[in-house]
Amino acid sequence: AYRDRRREDDLYENLSDAAYRRSFELRNLSFDRPGYAYLRALYEAKKFWANRAFEPDLPAVQGLSRFVKSLRSAGVRVIVVNAPENPLTLGLYSEGPYYRGCLDYLRDLGGADFIDESASLPAQMFYDYHHLTYGGAERNTERLARFLGRAQP
């Protein structure tokens, strides 16, 4: 194991939906607390990008496309995974044109297999927006291992 299970893992994983939401909002959305400028910036960026159009010409997107093409031309199988996201923040942008366009782009990425795990775990499996609890990491690893086991040539 990468690390030992922590008390917080058990706490978050065993909260009711309502209790977890209250805890999440206090821990992650109380932006008036010192040191929370980064979390505020992430939160605001998710809302900002949600209603914009996806831009496939951005340098990072083009870099991914070139990388996948180079791997495929070398005979390497490519699997792109959209990682699990906390449903409490995924809802900020998941139905917006940017995210939908990004998913469409990844699904059609020349010769790469695509796995969308974004909505695969409940909120209680996350510490914050994206970081998994110990149990969340175990569940995610098991899901990916099953997929990769089936994906062997």
Side-chain angles (χ1 to χ4, degrees):
Y2 176 72
R3 68 163 178 83
D4 293 331
R5 182 178 278 277
R6 298 180 189 139
R7 181 181 55 173
E8 292 87 358
D9 295 307
D10 293 327
L11 173 69
Y12 300 148
E13 291 170 16
N14 291 303
L15 289 174
S16 69
D17 289 347
Y20 178 84
R21 179 180 285 279
R22 284 191 304 275
S23 171
F24 179 86
E25 289 172 353
L26 177 64
R27 291 179 292 110
N28 297 291
L29 301 179
S30 298
F31 300 129
D32 55 339
R33 295 168 38 195
Y36 275 66
Y38 175 71
L39 287 178
R40 175 185 280 279
L42 284 177
Y43 184 79
E44 295 301 328
K46 289 174 186 299
K47 293 190 310 185
F48 173 80
W49 284 98
N51 294 312
R52 296 177 58 103
F54 177 69
E55 300 174 35
D57 295 329
L58 290 172
V61 176
Q62 289 302 302
L64 175 62
S65 182
R66 286 191 305 275
F67 181 60
V68 168
K69 284 179 185 174
S70 70
L71 291 172
R72 294 299 300 141
S73 68
V76 176
R77 183 172 186 198
V78 177
I79 302 172
V80 176
V81 178
N82 189 31
E85 301 182 57
N86 191 320
L88 296 182
T89 50
L90 179 61
L92 294 173
Y93 53 88
S94 63
E95 297 303 320
Y98 189 89
Y99 191 72
R100 290 281 144 221
C102 180
L103 291 180
D104 290 343
Y105 180 84
L106 293 173
R107 282 187 191 97
D108 296 333
L109 193 58
D113 293 325
F114 178 67
I115 306 169
D116 185 3
E117 290 290 301
S118 61
S120 64
L121 296 173
Q124 289 87 339
M125 296 287 122
F126 294 85
Y127 286 113
D128 54 27
Y129 300 168
H130 298 282
H131 296 97
L132 298 170
T133 63
Y134 191 93
E138 284 183 324
R139 285 176 59 178
N140 186 54
T141 300
E142 290 165 3
R143 290 174 62 87
L144 290 176
R146 281 194 303 275
F147 175 82
L148 294 174
R150 289 192 308 267
Q152 296 299 316

